[in-house]
Amino acid sequence: MIDMFKSIIQTIKKEPSGAAEKTDSELELQIATCALLLEMAHADDEYTAEEEAHIAELMQQRFDLSHDAFEELRSLADQRRREQIDLWGFT
């Protein structure tokens, strides 16, 4: 009986299943946004420190990211950007 009660309490404390999906879709949105910004910055084959700083500022403000979180996200987005043959996957 006590185990059943503990199980019910744990179930109540857990996030709803939709919350995890929202987190995943939010992350995908962040990756896609960053990848598209990186693609635009690389379009002229010249990626400057000014462009990098501007992308960092935009992403950190829009998605409320710390510097470290942005750097991790940027690295992942850049990797995905390089692996894509087109931009369709980001839209």
Side-chain angles (χ1 to χ4, degrees), residues 4-35:
M4 185 175 83
F5 182 73
K6 286 180 181 178
S7 175
I8 292 170
I9 296 297
Q10 288 176 347
T11 302
I12 292 170
K13 287 183 177 179
K14 288 182 182 176
E15 291 181 295
S17 61
E21 292 174 16
K22 183 177 180 185
T23 302
D24 289 345
S25 65
E26 180 74 10
L27 178 59
E28 287 302 317
L29 174 63
Q30 292 173 0
I31 292 169
T33 302
C34 190

Side-chain angles (χ1 to χ4, degrees), residues 4-89:
M4 185 175 83
F5 182 73
K6 286 180 181 178
S7 175
I8 292 170
I9 296 297
Q10 288 176 347
T11 302
I12 292 170
K13 287 183 177 179
K14 288 182 182 176
E15 291 181 295
S17 61
E21 292 174 16
K22 183 177 180 185
T23 302
D24 289 345
S25 65
E26 180 74 10
L27 178 59
E28 287 302 317
L29 174 63
Q30 292 173 0
I31 292 169
T33 302
C34 190
L36 290 170
L37 290 171
L38 288 169
E39 187 64 28
M40 288 188 298
H42 283 91
D44 62 356
D45 293 324
E46 193 174 310
Y47 183 58
T48 66
E50 183 180 335
E51 290 171 324
E52 184 174 350
H54 191 65
I55 291 171
E57 181 182 354
L58 288 171
M59 292 295 297
Q60 288 172 328
Q61 286 178 358
R62 171 61 177 91
F63 295 108
D64 193 29
L65 300 172
S66 68
H67 176 75
D68 291 340
F70 167 71
E71 286 301 321
E72 188 175 329
L73 179 71
R74 184 197 54 76
S75 177
L76 181 58
D78 196 41
Q79 177 186 349
R80 287 202 187 169
R81 178 187 72 84
R82 291 171 189 263
E83 292 171 354
Q84 294 291 326
I85 58 170
D86 59 25
L87 300 176
W88 179 257

